[in-house]
Amino acid sequence: MRIELMKSMFNTSNIYFLGSKSITRTISSAQYVASRARDPTFEKYMDHYKKLVKVIAISDLILANPNKNPPSVSLDFLSRLSQRLHLNRGAPSFLRRYPHIFEIFYDPTKSMPFCKLTDKVLEISRMEAAAINESLSLVVERLVRVLSMSIDKSLPLRAIFKVWRELGLPDDFEESVIARNPQLFLLCDGNEPNTHVLKLVTSYPSGHFTAIIEDWRVLECCKEDSKVDRTEIQCSFKQGFPPGMKLRKTFKAKVKEWQRLPYIGPYEEVGVKKRTKSGVKGLEKRAVAIVHEFMSLTVEKMVEVEKISHFRKCFAIDLNIRDLFLDHPGIFYLSTKGKRETVFLRDAYERGRLINPNPVYEARMKLLYLVMLERRGLLTMSQNTVNEEDDMGNEGNSQISATSVSSNVDRDQ
């Protein structure tokens, strides 16, 4: 399938025809990533999201000083961390670029400048924390599901720390989620010094959990005007390719053949697969099922490839995670913006919008809107509440998305 995908992405200039034979250029992994079909919607989103990541890193440092009134950090401290935070032009320049988020003030008692968060951002932070606390039952189930997909129903705690924000866990989840649910979770020492493993105490019968993709299959079959083949869709994934991606007949045939392969759910036990051609394809489809379910459990239906790679062995995925995303562009979209590889779950989005937004996601989109404003609107925007600002930004639209935020900022330019 990889070869057909590469042929569909490359121009004919990459193939030489010599009589009845053809010779294809050998390309590197980096060239393969660069040659993939781009999706403008996700790429535009990542243009702004890479800035949001830096803003969140600084905000976390500020909020980590709750004893200070207001919570703040010195510019000297941030300047020393400029390289680690990837602030190419230095901390003061970056902070002044986002006056809707950061305020620089001079502390006469310490004779040095400090940085704090604006009232808008503090309110957004409270909204996100409240949304997480109100959904703690969902957070607990989310963590149980992730543990249930692992081979031995356990995961290294450091792997969970990598994705705690993506899973919508509270920043004190060790206490508020794990310690308060001893009937579900057990935190014990790992095999290596100073490592911990989170284990699932409760055992669930087979079929207790239903994967998100299985719910989609049921909905597709139950539609009044459904024309799907019920014998085929029971093993299929929803496909949606990047706009402008040319799909050859051979590639379409390969996708159709792959869709028909037997499906093993992410919560099902699986035996040892033989390293035959059919066995490897089965392992690949199960890997797609596991990663699809994992991403469905995230707040924004997106995650960095490096972070999800920490779960590869625990989920018994004997494949390169990045290659898995590249081989299935109809299910996942891989972006390399911001010196990081981020993957999106395609079927969770429609026209750039998260189909089923949640309160935590909406709070984060409010912060993204402020990031995209940069210095615009300083003279026209009053210090209103965050809800009033949201009404202005979305013009009555209750769903906040990458597309709607981008269109509003473009209008302000």
Side-chain angles (χ1 to χ4, degrees):
M1 187 171 180
R2 172 77 63 82
I3 295 175
E4 296 299 333
L5 179 57
M6 285 193 291
K7 287 181 179 179
S8 68
M9 290 180 175
F10 276 84
N11 297 325
T12 54
S13 59
N14 290 322
I15 302 175
Y16 295 95
F17 294 94
L18 301 176
S20 59
K21 297 181 180 180
S22 63
I23 301 175
T24 307
R25 289 180 182 174
T26 301
I27 65 170
S28 66
S29 178
Q31 288 174 318
Y32 181 35
V33 173
S35 67
R36 74 198 184 286
R38 307 298 177 91
D39 192 313
T41 301
F42 290 122
E43 290 299 315
K44 189 172 184 180
Y45 179 86
M46 285 305 300
D47 276 333
H48 303 291
Y49 192 84
K50 64 184 182 182
K51 303 171 186 175
L52 176 63
V53 171
K54 298 178 183 180
V55 166
I56 290 175
I58 297 175
S59 299
D60 287 345
L61 289 174
I62 294 174
L63 294 174
N65 294 291
N67 295 330
K68 291 187 177 181
N69 189 19
S72 59
V73 294
S74 68
L75 260 65
D76 180 64
F77 174 73
L78 290 178
S79 295
R80 292 198 300 270
L81 294 177
S82 291
Q83 188 173 0
R84 183 177 297 181
L85 295 172
H86 304 290
L87 308 180
N88 299 329
R89 297 185 178 180
S93 176
F94 183 85
L95 298 174
R96 294 189 182 98
R97 187 176 181 180
Y98 302 103
H100 296 284
I101 300 173
F102 303 112
E103 287 185 12
I104 298 176
F105 67 97
Y106 187 79
D107 188 342
T109 60
K110 296 186 177 180
S111 302
M112 60 191 310
F114 279 74
C115 173
K116 66 177 181 177
L117 298 174
T118 64
D119 292 340
K120 303 174 192 176
V121 177
L122 290 174
E123 179 62 21
I124 290 173
S125 178
R126 286 190 287 267
M127 289 174 60
E128 182 178 346
I132 291 174
N133 289 330
E134 290 173 5
S135 62
L136 277 182
S137 59
L138 294 176
V139 170
V140 170
E141 181 184 354
R142 201 175 290 153
L143 192 55
V144 168
R145 281 176 173 262
V146 173
L147 287 165
S148 297
M149 288 191 288
S150 65
I151 305 172
D152 55 359
K153 314 305 176 190
S154 67
L155 290 169
L157 188 63
R158 64 175 180 270
I160 298 174
F161 267 113
K162 287 282 184 179
V163 294
W164 70 273
R165 190 185 295 273
E166 285 80 357
L167 292 175
L169 298 173
D171 52 8
D172 64 339
F173 71 89
E174 287 183 89
E175 175 62 31
S176 59
V177 175
I178 297 175
R180 293 183 185 179
N181 293 278
Q183 76 283 4
L184 296 174
F185 309 115
L186 175 64
L187 193 60
C188 53
D189 293 333
N191 297 327
E192 301 175 5
N194 300 320
T195 61
H196 296 85
V197 175
L198 181 64
K199 294 186 177 181
L200 186 62
V201 176
T202 306
S203 60
Y204 294 90
S206 178
H208 180 80
F209 294 114
T210 302
I212 302 297
I213 191 62
E214 294 172 33
D215 293 335
W216 169 78
R217 292 168 187 158
V218 172
L219 290 174
E220 286 296 303
C221 290
C222 293
K223 288 181 179 179
E224 294 183 1
D225 57 345
S226 178
K227 297 180 181 179
V228 299
D229 187 335
R230 286 172 172 77
T231 60
E232 289 189 8
I233 199 173
Q234 63 182 353
C235 296
S236 298
F237 286 81
K238 187 176 180 181
Q239 299 276 347
F241 296 96
M245 179 177 175
K246 295 180 180 179
L247 306 177
R248 298 182 177 227
K249 289 183 179 180
T250 51
F251 176 70
K252 290 181 180 179
K254 289 287 185 181
V255 171
K256 191 172 183 179
E257 179 186 350
W258 185 86
Q259 291 276 58
R260 290 174 176 173
L261 290 174
Y263 167 81
I264 302 176
Y267 303 107
E268 296 179 36
E269 298 292 340
V270 61
V272 179
K273 287 276 186 180
K274 295 181 179 180
R275 301 300 295 183
T276 60
K277 185 176 181 180
S278 60
V280 171
K281 286 184 177 180
L283 289 173
E284 180 186 349
K285 191 152 190 177
R286 174 169 170 76
V288 170
I290 291 175
V291 176
H292 184 284
E293 182 69 6
F294 181 87
M295 294 191 63
S296 297
L297 296 174
T298 62
V299 171
E300 300 172 68
K301 317 307 177 192
M302 58 177 284
V303 66
E304 289 180 34
V305 176
E306 181 271 332
K307 292 182 178 181
I308 200 171
S309 295
H310 287 269
F311 295 86
R312 188 173 64 85
K313 291 184 179 179
C314 301
F315 291 157
I317 299 178
D318 192 19
L319 299 164
N320 184 291
I321 291 289
R322 184 181 67 170
D323 288 349
L324 193 71
F325 298 140
L326 291 171
D327 287 345
H328 298 277
I331 303 173
F332 309 107
Y333 180 73
L334 181 68
S335 174
T336 57
K337 290 278 187 179
K339 296 181 181 179
R340 66 186 73 233
E341 293 182 339
T342 306
V343 62
F344 291 83
L345 187 61
R346 279 195 168 278
D347 61 20
Y349 288 83
E350 185 176 2
R351 295 181 180 179
R353 300 179 183 277
L354 200 60
I355 297 174
N356 297 309
N358 53 78
V360 179
Y361 168 81
E362 290 178 343
R364 293 176 182 177
M365 288 300 99
K366 293 177 189 292
L367 182 59
L368 177 61
Y369 178 73
L370 295 182
V371 171
M372 296 173 69
L373 277 180
E374 294 188 356
R375 298 187 62 84
R376 290 182 291 271
L378 288 178
L379 298 178
T380 58
M381 290 181 63
S382 59
Q383 297 294 322
N384 294 328
T385 64
V386 173
N387 288 334
E388 289 173 340
E389 179 185 336
D390 182 44
D391 292 339
M392 179 197 71
N394 292 280
E395 296 180 340
N397 191 336
S398 60
Q399 289 189 352
I400 306 175
S401 68
T403 302
S404 63
V405 171
S406 297
S407 62
N408 288 326
V409 172
D410 290 342
R411 182 191 60 193
D412 292 338
Q413 288 180 319

